[in-house]
């Protein structure tokens, strides 16, 4: 992507007085994408937020080369001590099981019974670590965020897509 493309695609609406320079904006807009799972694993942010972090990179279409980050946590309480709603935890479980299935990783529902979110995140990380690079279809929908209208909630759906053909290269086939 050229500098002009970056300016046109990523700096529209950027307010240097208010916006975080390390953020990727709001990520991809609502839509359908063919993406590769370029990163996946356990991550703990400086704030202490413990999660599984997935990075998806678009491989074809108008947004090729752009990425979307998604964090999934199995903490049962927020940083303020409030309980996380059951529907959020259930959606997170279904999301991780779906991604694990698409990645051909051996994830099972009993992994969510390991006691605390860190143990759960680490166990899942061990299972998915070697399966990065898989192509999947990703659908993003948005719904309004009453507390912060400029930052809508995103919902994700993932499905299988055709994988590229493996090319075997050995030393004898290299030209040098």
């Amino acid at each position: 992507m050229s500098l002009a493309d970056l300016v046109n695609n990523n700096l529209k609406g950027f307010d240097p007085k208010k916006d975080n320079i390390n953020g990727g904006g709001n990520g991809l807009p609502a839509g359908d994408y063919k993406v590769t799972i370029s990163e996946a694993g356990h991550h703990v942010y400086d704030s202490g937020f413990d999660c599984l972090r997935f990075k998806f990179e678009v491989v074809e279409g108008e947004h090729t080369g752009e990425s979307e980050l998604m964090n999934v946590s199995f903490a049962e309480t927020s940083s303020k001590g409030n309980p996380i709603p059951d529907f959020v935890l259930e959606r997170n479980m279904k999301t991780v099981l779906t991604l694990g299935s698409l990645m051909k990783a051996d994830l099972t529902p009993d992994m969510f019974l390991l006691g605390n979110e860190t143990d759960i995140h680490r166990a899942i990380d061990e299972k998915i670590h070697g399966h990065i690079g898989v192509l999947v279809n990703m659908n993003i929908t948005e719904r309004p965020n009453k507390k912060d209208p400029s930052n809508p909630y995103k919902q994700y759906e993932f499905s299988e897509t055709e994988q590229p053909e493996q090319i075997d290269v050995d030393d004898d086939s290299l030209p040098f």
Side-chain angles (χ1 to χ4, degrees), residues 14-152:
F14 176 73
D15 184 344
K17 293 179 182 174
K18 297 189 295 186
D19 293 342
N20 181 343
I21 63 173
N22 295 308
N26 290 332
L28 295 167
D32 294 311
Y33 303 94
K34 183 181 281 192
V35 298
T36 183
I37 302 173
S38 61
E39 294 177 24
H42 178 227
H43 187 77
V44 180
Y45 286 90
D46 291 341
S47 66
F49 180 65
D50 189 329
C51 64
L52 289 169
R53 181 171 67 182
F54 293 88
K55 182 177 180 183
F56 306 97
E57 292 186 23
V58 180
V59 297
E60 66 182 37
E62 175 185 352
H63 294 277
T64 298
E66 294 181 43
S67 60
E68 178 81 8
L69 286 176
M70 181 183 72
N71 293 321
V72 179
S73 177
F74 297 103
E76 295 182 66
T77 57
S78 71
S79 61
K80 295 179 182 175
N82 299 325
I84 301 295
D86 288 347
F87 80 90
V88 171
L89 294 169
E90 180 182 348
R91 182 186 61 220
N92 289 351
M93 289 179 202
K94 289 177 178 178
T95 298
V96 168
L97 288 172
T98 298
L99 287 170
S101 175
L102 294 169
M103 296 172 80
K104 308 280 190 265
D106 186 26
L107 301 184
T108 59
D110 62 338
M111 298 182 84
F112 303 115
L113 306 174
L114 294 175
N116 65 62
E117 70 266 19
T118 300
D119 291 344
I120 294 167
H121 299 151
R122 287 180 180 159
I124 293 170
D125 181 19
E126 286 179 26
K127 296 279 189 175
I128 63 176
H129 186 72
H131 301 278
I132 294 169
V134 173
L135 291 177
V136 299
N137 291 318
M138 177 175 67
N139 172 267
I140 301 174
T141 56
E142 295 178 346
R143 59 184 177 85
N145 178 346
K146 293 177 187 174
K147 292 180 183 177
D148 184 3
S150 66
N151 189 24

